[in-house]
Amino acid sequence: MCLFCKIIKKEIPANIILEDDDFIAFHDINPKAPVHILAIPKKHVNSFNEVSSSTMSGMTNFIQKVTNEVKIQESGYRIITNIGSDGGQEVGHLHFHILGGAKLKWGHLSDADPKGHF
Ligand code: AMP
């Protein structure tokens, strides 16, 4: 069973913010911003590559509830999902990083030539 499935089953503790039948949100153990929350579907999905549109529909509503709950909707925030090796995905269970609580930086994400791919 994957790490996040164990959190869903409460076999591993997590600092949970919001939970319903289909989704759960908890604080990232290694925060990269003052607010750093992970929102995940309870149904195991490896990554965004495999998620259904119906799960994403529910995820949209759930993330909106989470950002309202932690009061970052007005100040703003960023949603990131890392996918696969180049995306830097470390945990193989779809998760959305919700980052905020301060003005976030935005810069080059790779040392490779940004115009090199196309
Ligand atoms: P990613 O690199 O996109 O796969 O992100 C995985 C995230 O999971 C990282 O930000 C980790 O800090 C976070 N993480 C790993 N283990 C735990 C845990 N037990 N509880 C909360 N967050 C975790």
Side-chain angles (χ1 to χ4, degrees), residues 1-79:
M1 194 191 302
C2 89
L3 176 67
F4 288 173
C5 283
K6 287 181 181 166
I7 286 177
I8 291 160
K9 288 187 178 299
K10 311 282 162 58
E11 290 177 9
I12 292 177
N15 193 347
I16 295 168
I17 296 148
L18 206 63
E19 178 174 13
D20 65 16
D21 287 345
D22 299 318
F23 303 97
I24 185 167
F26 51 91
H27 289 283
D28 195 291
I29 205 167
N30 183 23
K32 291 183 164 52
V35 174
H36 187 171
I37 296 163
L38 301 175
I40 70 174
K42 288 189 172 175
K43 179 174 180 285
H44 182 92
V45 178
N46 290 324
S47 81
F48 187 78
N49 281 337
E50 294 166 26
V51 72
S52 68
S53 54
S54 63
T55 297
M56 281 308 299
S57 174
M59 180 62 90
T60 300
N61 289 334
F62 184 71
I63 288 174
Q64 288 169 352
K65 281 183 196 157
V66 171
T67 55
N68 184 50
E69 176 74 21
V70 299
K71 298 181 171 46
I72 58 171
Q73 281 196 348
E74 293 303 317
S75 51
Y77 56 96
R78 190 172 297 162
I79 301 167

